[in-house]
Amino acid sequence: MTADHPSAPADPSGGAPTEHGGTPEHHESVLLDEPTTADLRAKVTQAWQEFARAFAERLRDLPAGTHIELTLDPTASGTGDAVYSISVDLDTDGRISARAVGNATLPTGYRLDRAAVADMVALGWSPPGVVEGSGEDFGLAATSAEASKLAALLSRTLRDVYGAPHPAFLVYLVHDSAGKPVPVEPLGTARSEFGPDRDVEADLDEALAAAAAPGATVDKDVLALDERVRTVVSTMLKSTADQLQVDQDGDINIRAGSAMVFVRVRDNPPLVDVFSPVLTQVEPTERLYVKLSELTNRMPIGRLYCADDTVWASIPVFGRDFQPTHLMLAVQVMTGLADELDDRLHGEFGGKRFFGEGDKPGKRDEGEPRTGMYL
């Protein structure tokens, strides 16, 4: 899949001058191009595949006595007091036992309806109380030889039944039999509960110092720009450059509430594009174009536009004489902007947010059944 957010060049002669009086033609072709609609679903599918692959590797490598918790972050997914989680215990002799939260511990309005319970059983879960020790949770027993199958099953449970729209909405915890944290390689874009506690400003200062290596120029070394971008983004996410989730298009994926933000590095001309598909499957209308124009005029940086049936938000950062602080500002603005605008525009113009039906309402009537959330 090739995601061409804004990458299909338009006729430069049709571009309008920027607020600073115009840009060189080779820049204008990037900033004012007409994008083709990206296959956003493919990005989500790839992220889940990478998560399942990484999880299967951990199940095979971690020692007996290890306990793993996978939780859909309620603050990011809008589930409030409902905590959808799966626990996995690595027992002796290669045996693995898993537990998935059942209705007994879910609040009214967020419980699984009959169809969702049937989906759980169809995936391979035993109803609560059937597997020894499962109590009020769904239970499952497997072996390390079935790690790949189990990882795929757990991924489908989190995605299709519990409604996790993307692995980035998952938080994982890994500890040993004594309750001490066990360091593990990242599980795709899922986030470890054991993150660094260092002062963010100090981290950013160090990252800036590393990114602004003397003598490095984008013209001579395009790779240096890519490395500096990874350093800045990973520091902002309290991670490391090698832990960033980069999809097959080379885009860095950043969760932003109910939206997803991508960071792409271009080499001709040197440019860092911070963009987000704010709304998909929306009907382009004159009223929508007017609204996007009004919002763009009020934005201090960046722009909003509609291509085919997708509303995009984009903030470009020039790679020539790259300034890490400019990228930090772009990422901060975009993550807040995308998460706010997808809700606002969805309410006014319909369509779907990036995660589509994975979005959960903040509140339900008590008599309304909870359905499985399918992408």
Side-chain angles (χ1 to χ4, degrees), residues 2-10 29-38 264 266 273 275-276 303-314:
T2 299
D4 293 326
H5 143 61
S7 63
S29 66
V30 174
L31 297 179
L32 303 176
D33 51 5
E34 288 293 336
T36 58
T37 301
R264 175 178 293 180
R266 304 178 186 276
D273 194 9
F275 63 97
S276 175
R303 62 181 181 135
L304 291 165
Y305 53 94
C306 182
D308 294 329
D309 64 351
T310 301
V311 173
W312 296 92
S314 175

Side-chain angles (χ1 to χ4, degrees), residues 5 56 66 72 86 116 118 169 175 192 217 268 278 297 338:
H5 143 61
T66 301
L72 174 59
I86 293 176
F169 282 71
H175 61 74
S192 171
T217 62
N268 187 26
V278 176
N297 289 335

